[in-house]
Amino acid sequence: MSERLQTTKYGDDRLVKGLLSPYCARNWLVNFKLAAFLGVAFMRFVLVAVSVFALASCSLPRGAPIQSEIIGKEAEERSDLAVYRVSRETLSSISRWPSPNNSAAYSWPARGAPAADRAIRAFDRVDVTVWDSEEDSLLSSPGQNTVQMQSMQVSAAGTVFLPFVGTVHIAGMPHAAARTRIQRKYEEVIPSAQVQLNVQPGTRGAVSVVSGVSRPGPITMEDPDFTVLNAIATAGGPSARIDNPLVKLIRGNRSYRRPLEQVMANASYDVVLQPGDKVAVEEDKRYFRSLGAASREALIPFSKADISALDAMSMIGGLSDIRANPKGILILREYPSKAVRADNSGPDNTRSVFVIDLTTADGLFSAGKFSVHSQDTVLVTESSVASVSVLLDLLRKIAGTAVDVNKL
């Protein structure tokens, strides 16, 4: 009995020793790790599945809308929105539509013709020289044959006072006509009198360059063909701090505006100035908005007189390489109610969306001729592929794997 018990004891010892052998221990550790890995993988699978269902029930984070969200079937059926495709067929009619706001509605006076002889004005100064050959002259002293009356100011009523003649009205008269009138007045008392007249323009014959130039101030117009560009050049030219200068002309109770670029390019805009005109060079305050999958989201000021949609693409730094949909460039514009037309001479609705496709030659050429107006919104829609990339990236982070999306 004792021997059996001892054998059993030895057998148990051998069993324990077998279990504790290096081979069995290594197999046991492998099996344990495999079970742990399968458990973790199962938990990851469950977590990924839950995440997929959660993401399916909500919207993915995006920085821009997809094109179908703005101009899909639901949007096209709405009565408060008009959608237009920008192409060669539609450009001709769209270009004739009214301007959506007053910022681009420039007004400018006619150039005008320079006067053949500048008229004398109130507050001008005149020099009158009278030649008298008579021995007993009323004006000259013995041995003198000329009398000079210098720097006489023309009164507000347009008259000057001359000795032995009295008050003579000369305002509004050309130089030659005023000289003739003064001489006839003197011939009544001095038959041999000859008159010479010189005119110095006064403050009423000046224009003022108010701002936006190197040397603002009044400028006396001695040339009857003194124009806007002459005034700006005389004042030292436009300030270098103004990127897109705009010329403002104040004449009487009216104000006119025109980009300096257009004034310099078109001679008919270089108007002849009139006394009392005021000229200012200002910065063009027009802008458009850049939103969506663009390289730059901001208020973009106009850098020149006319901006096309293709220019706008360059000004915003182009499209985002991984997010943008080049087929869905949207120009959002709001027209005043008076601009709405039913005969194709204006938009169908105050709220209008213009769609540009940059993946075709017609779309690129049309974008180069489509004008962007002040306060337009240039929206670059996001590609649907970008949303898929976001989803895969989220799943990769959730699963904790190092899967490269680009290799899928």
Side-chain angles (χ1 to χ4, degrees):
M1 182 71 178
S2 60
E3 183 178 356
R4 183 181 177 184
L5 290 175
Q6 186 176 4
T7 304
T8 304
K9 180 179 178 181
Y10 291 154
D12 292 341
D13 290 341
R14 287 194 296 269
L15 177 62
V16 171
K17 290 181 180 179
L19 290 174
L20 295 179
S21 65
Y23 177 76
C24 291
R26 185 166 56 251
N27 288 342
W28 176 82
L29 182 61
V30 169
N31 293 334
F32 178 80
K33 289 183 177 181
L34 178 61
F37 175 79
L38 292 176
V40 172
F42 177 75
M43 292 300 296
R44 285 180 176 175
F45 173 77
V46 172
L47 184 59
V48 169
V50 172
S51 301
V52 168
F53 283 112
L55 290 173
S57 62
C58 63
S59 299
L60 290 173
R62 288 186 280 118
I66 299 174
Q67 180 177 348
S68 59
E69 295 175 334
I70 304 296
I71 56 169
K73 291 183 178 180
E74 182 181 348
E76 291 180 352
E77 293 174 357
R78 294 172 55 182
S79 60
D80 62 341
L81 187 68
V83 180
Y84 306 96
R85 302 282 174 177
V86 177
S87 63
R88 181 168 53 184
E89 289 75 17
T90 60
L91 269 177
S92 58
S93 58
I94 294 175
S95 61
R96 294 193 297 267
W97 289 0
S99 175
N101 48 59
N102 293 328
S103 61
Y106 298 120
S107 61
W108 201 245
R111 187 181 189 280
D117 194 358
R118 178 185 176 276
I120 298 174
R121 302 179 180 91
F123 304 104
D124 283 354
R125 292 189 175 274
V126 296
D127 298 332
V128 179
T129 302
V130 180
W131 298 77
D132 181 9
S133 60
E134 296 185 3
E135 294 182 359
D136 298 327
S137 173
L138 296 175
L139 292 175
S140 60
S141 302
Q144 293 182 339
N145 59 357
T146 60
V147 175
Q148 295 182 350
M149 294 164 278
Q150 297 182 335
S151 192
M152 295 184 296
Q153 189 178 60
V154 180
S155 68
T159 62
V160 290
F161 178 81
L162 301 173
F164 299 102
V165 172
T167 301
V168 181
H169 189 279
I170 58 173
M173 302 180 65
H175 178 275
R179 189 202 67 79
T180 300
R181 173 173 288 188
I182 294 173
Q183 179 165 319
R184 288 177 179 174
K185 289 290 185 180
Y186 268 110
E187 286 176 348
E188 295 177 0
V189 293
I190 306 173
S192 62
Q194 298 288 324
V195 174
Q196 181 179 349
L197 177 66
N198 293 321
V199 181
Q200 301 280 338
T203 55
R204 292 289 180 90
V207 297
S208 298
V209 182
V210 181
S211 62
V213 293
S214 301
R215 298 186 300 273
I219 300 175
T220 300
M221 296 190 303
E222 298 181 358
D223 184 359
D225 193 15
F226 197 73
T227 65
V228 168
L229 292 181
N230 291 142
I232 295 175
T234 303
S239 173
R241 293 176 293 181
I242 301 178
D243 293 331
N244 185 26
L246 187 77
V247 181
K248 183 177 182 180
L249 173 62
I250 302 175
R251 176 171 291 175
N253 297 325
R254 295 197 59 182
S255 296
Y256 305 91
R257 298 167 62 251
R258 179 68 60 178
L260 179 60
E261 178 184 342
Q262 295 182 1
V263 176
M264 297 181 65
N266 193 335
S268 63
Y269 291 147
D270 190 18
V271 300
V272 177
L273 295 177
Q274 299 177 5
D277 283 352
K278 297 176 180 62
V279 178
V281 180
E282 302 175 341
E283 186 171 2
D284 193 344
K285 294 181 174 59
R286 295 178 299 159
Y287 67 91
F288 68 90
R289 306 175 190 88
S290 171
L291 295 176
S295 298
R296 180 185 177 193
E297 292 184 285
L299 296 178
I300 311 296
F302 277 42
S303 59
K304 56 181 183 177
D306 298 308
I307 298 293
S308 70
L310 211 56
D311 294 332
M313 293 298 99
S314 300
M315 294 171 67
I316 65 177
L319 312 181
S320 173
D321 294 338
I322 61 175
R323 295 175 52 211
N325 175 19
K327 294 184 177 182
I329 311 300
L330 308 183
I331 309 291
L332 282 69
R333 180 179 301 165
E334 188 164 4
Y335 287 91
S337 56
K338 63 181 180 180
V340 177
R341 303 282 191 275
D343 57 355
N344 204 30
S345 62
D348 298 332
N349 203 295
T350 56
R351 293 183 173 182
S352 300
V353 180
F354 301 91
V355 186
I356 298 176
D357 183 359
L358 295 182
T359 64
T360 65
D362 179 61
L364 287 168
F365 280 110
S366 299
K369 295 182 179 179
F370 181 84
S371 296
V372 174
H373 289 270
S374 180
Q375 301 179 29
D376 279 357
T377 298
V378 178
L379 175 62
V380 181
T381 60
E382 193 165 278
S383 172
S384 57
V385 177
S387 300
V388 175
S389 299
V390 172
L391 176 60
L392 293 177
D393 186 63
L394 287 175
L395 294 179
R396 180 184 63 82
K397 291 180 179 178
I398 293 172
T401 60
V403 178
D404 188 356
V405 177
N406 294 325
K407 297 180 180 179
L408 292 181

